[in-house]
Amino acid sequence: MFNAILLNKNEDGTTDARLTQLDDAQLPVDGDVTVRIDYSTINYKDGLAITGKSPVVRKWPMVPGIDGAGEVIASSHPEWKVGDAFVLNGWGVGEVHMGCLAQRARLKGEWLIPRPAGMSAKTAMAIGTAGYTAMLSAMALQEQGVSKDSGEILVTGASGGVGSVAIAILSGWGYRVVASTGKLAEADYLKSLGAADVIDRAELSAAGKPLQKERWAGVVDAVGSHTLVNALAQTRYGGVVTACGLAQGMDLPGSVAPFILRGIRLLGIDSVMAPKARRIAAWQRLATDLDAAKLDAITHEITLAEALSKARDIIEGKVRGRLVVNVNS
């Protein structure tokens, strides 16, 4: 038997989330690697799943947890053997396939990547999908020619997981980063991560003009809706905006003006189905380029039981940085 968070759908459509015990017979049969989970994490999507605030889960019952790190304990997959250290992000785990907010999981070997040498399971989950997505966004800016000399980089949703790690990565690369947040009391925290300036999210979150004063050479946006539209309207000629989140909304109530008059580029960043080679490249750069002290500063460890209440907190915007779940405590 092992501990796990289990989600069930009630007759009235609400979600029941509880800490319980499962056995191996309840693990999915469509997996060829059984793993011991040492650490998981709570992402925004996990918060939606546990609270039932959005129809993230499409198969019931479900163990949530889109991220996991630990070791292989059984495998029929040719690339994985007992004792191998792994990292998992995405692939519908925690949505259509039982996830990693548990002490054990059965997964497909093709979804796993080797944990970078010297990186602990806890560190991997302090990074998690949020940090991995931040790295994918930062890499995209670099690959599109946005250099540290191009101008300021805006990071929205800055006190969240993606935003916090994006600030740490980009400032570490020498970029001048401006953080947008609804929590101005967190300004000192954001500056400690490397933000050169902090602005109120209210400057971006309401409807604005299709074209505004040019400021940003690049943007990492985890918010969507009006915030993304205003960021586009303020991006300098030829600039690049990466979009990876929807904390404000899925809508894009904007104009084609920034694209056809300023030649800016909007890049979608998908972490769930990203190719394996792309994942490995991102994780290798996280292992070498992310300041360990800054990562520690944004990380808070919780127990598996605490994940239930923290899921609501993350949806309500009450969480700063990253929540790491020690599934064995």
Side-chain angles (χ1 to χ4, degrees):
M1 304 293 289
F2 59 90
N3 294 328
I5 290 176
L6 188 67
L7 308 181
N8 281 287
K9 192 172 185 177
N10 300 318
E11 290 184 4
D12 62 1
T14 60
T15 298
D16 172 56
R18 59 191 174 90
L19 181 63
T20 188
Q21 285 198 318
L22 304 178
D23 60 36
D24 282 7
Q26 293 169 279
L27 290 173
V29 295
D30 58 336
D32 48 17
V33 180
T34 303
V35 299
R36 183 192 75 228
I37 304 295
D38 294 324
Y39 285 88
S40 185
T41 181
I42 298 287
N43 294 288
Y44 191 79
K45 186 180 286 186
D46 298 313
L48 292 173
I50 292 171
T51 61
K53 291 289 185 181
S54 182
V56 169
V57 177
R58 286 163 286 165
K59 187 176 180 180
W60 305 90
M62 178 57 59
V63 174
I66 65 174
D67 289 343
E71 290 188 0
V72 174
I73 57 176
S75 173
S76 59
H77 191 281
E79 294 182 16
W80 294 95
K81 65 181 187 300
V82 174
D84 285 346
F86 75 92
V87 177
L88 169 83
N89 307 106
W91 295 115
V93 172
E95 301 173 69
V96 295
H97 186 100
M98 283 190 172
C100 298
L101 281 169
Q103 293 175 309
R104 189 170 293 196
R106 184 170 294 130
L107 306 164
K108 293 185 179 181
E110 64 200 67
W111 296 340
L112 310 180
I113 66 164
R115 197 159 74 234
M119 180 182 287
S120 70
K122 181 178 179 179
T123 296
M125 290 297 95
I127 296 168
T129 282
Y132 151 62
T133 302
M135 178 57 81
L136 290 175
S137 300
M139 288 168 60
L141 291 179
Q142 276 195 335
E143 291 161 359
Q144 291 293 316
V146 181
S147 73
K148 62 183 180 181
D149 299 319
S150 298
E152 292 180 309
I153 307 298
L154 172 68
V155 174
T156 68
S159 63
V162 174
S164 296
V165 179
I167 292 168
I169 292 169
L170 290 164
S171 64
W173 288 350
Y175 290 83
R176 189 178 194 279
V177 181
V178 177
S180 167
T181 181
K183 305 172 184 176
L184 292 180
E186 302 283 13
D188 289 342
Y189 159 74
L190 295 171
K191 289 180 178 179
S192 74
L193 296 180
D197 197 7
V198 178
I199 63 174
D200 193 329
R201 72 179 177 198
E203 296 182 29
L204 298 166
S205 59
K209 295 180 180 179
L211 286 176
Q212 301 171 34
K213 184 178 179 180
E214 296 180 50
R215 181 170 183 181
W216 318 115
V219 178
V220 174
D221 177 64
V223 177
S225 192
H226 289 294
T227 297
L228 175 55
V229 170
N230 285 315
L232 291 166
Q234 295 174 12
T235 297
R236 293 164 54 174
Y237 189 93
V240 179
V241 177
T242 62
C244 63
L246 44 69
Q248 185 179 7
M250 290 185 67
D251 58 323
L252 191 65
S255 163
V256 298
F259 305 103
I260 64 175
L261 297 178
R262 291 182 180 166
I264 70 169
R265 287 155 286 170
L266 174 60
L267 304 179
I269 304 299
D270 168 54
S271 61
V272 177
M273 305 299 289
K276 189 172 184 177
R278 186 72 171 166
R279 292 169 181 267
I280 291 173
W283 276 97
Q284 289 299 328
R285 292 199 70 177
L286 285 161
T288 58
D289 295 8
L290 182 56
D291 187 311
K294 290 182 178 179
L295 183 62
D296 287 343
I298 69 175
T299 301
H300 178 61
E301 182 174 327
I302 62 175
T303 66
L304 192 58
E306 289 174 318
L308 292 169
S309 61
K310 291 297 182 181
R312 186 168 300 280
D313 288 346
I314 201 168
I315 295 302
E316 295 176 354
K318 297 178 180 178
V319 173
R320 182 178 80 176
R322 301 284 298 127
L323 292 174
V324 176
V325 183
N326 183 344
V327 301
N328 297 302
S329 67

